[in-house]
Amino acid sequence: MGKIGHAAFLLHQHLSSAGKHAQQATEAAAKSLEGDGFGTGAALAKAGEGWQGELEVLLDACAQISDHLDYSVKSSSQDDQFVGAQLRVSKISEYLDVPPPASGSDAPHVPKAEGPVM
């Protein structure tokens, strides 16, 4: 997941600059064509605006993918740590013969050891 999220982040960075590469030239050409009386000038301007709109949608999608996968990796790591801690507590409880936790409790009740523990 981390590699895919990183790829989405890199794609977002690259598209942010490369996707706007022809914007100024397209706008200038559209104005020039319109100024010379060509109907294609308005069409070119509309195509340029459409491209910018699609670019924003793609950039937003890349950002959402990157953010979601970053969150998923962190969340999964936290879940793994929690499960690992629960397994360790479970093994310790078995070793010490600790009674199971009361219902509704998130953590097992571990009584304080009396006397020397070897």
Side-chain angles (χ1 to χ4, degrees):
M1 285 190 296
K3 288 181 180 182
I4 295 170
H6 184 66
F9 172 75
L10 293 176
L11 180 59
H12 182 276
Q13 283 186 319
H14 181 70
L15 281 175
S16 292
S17 59
K20 297 176 184 175
H21 170 73
Q23 183 178 7
Q24 290 179 347
T26 302
E27 290 172 356
K31 285 181 184 177
S32 178
L33 287 168
E34 281 185 272
D36 290 340
F38 289 98
T40 54
L44 182 58
K46 188 171 183 171
E49 291 169 7
W51 168 254
Q52 292 304 316
E54 293 299 318
L55 177 62
E56 290 302 317
V57 169
L58 185 55
L59 288 170
D60 287 346
C62 287
Q64 288 179 3
I65 290 168
S66 178
D67 290 347
H68 176 72
L69 291 176
D70 284 347
Y71 171 79
S72 294
V73 166
K74 289 175 187 171
S75 176
S76 177
S77 175
Q78 290 171 348
D79 290 346
D80 289 347
Q81 290 173 3
F82 176 78
V83 169
Q86 293 301 311
L87 288 173
R88 286 188 295 278
V89 166
S90 174
K91 291 296 180 190
I92 291 170
S93 296
E94 286 176 18
Y95 177 75
L96 295 176
D97 195 26
V98 175
S103 62
S105 173
D106 288 341
H109 171 71
V110 179
K112 188 172 184 176
E114 295 179 20
V117 177
M118 293 186 198

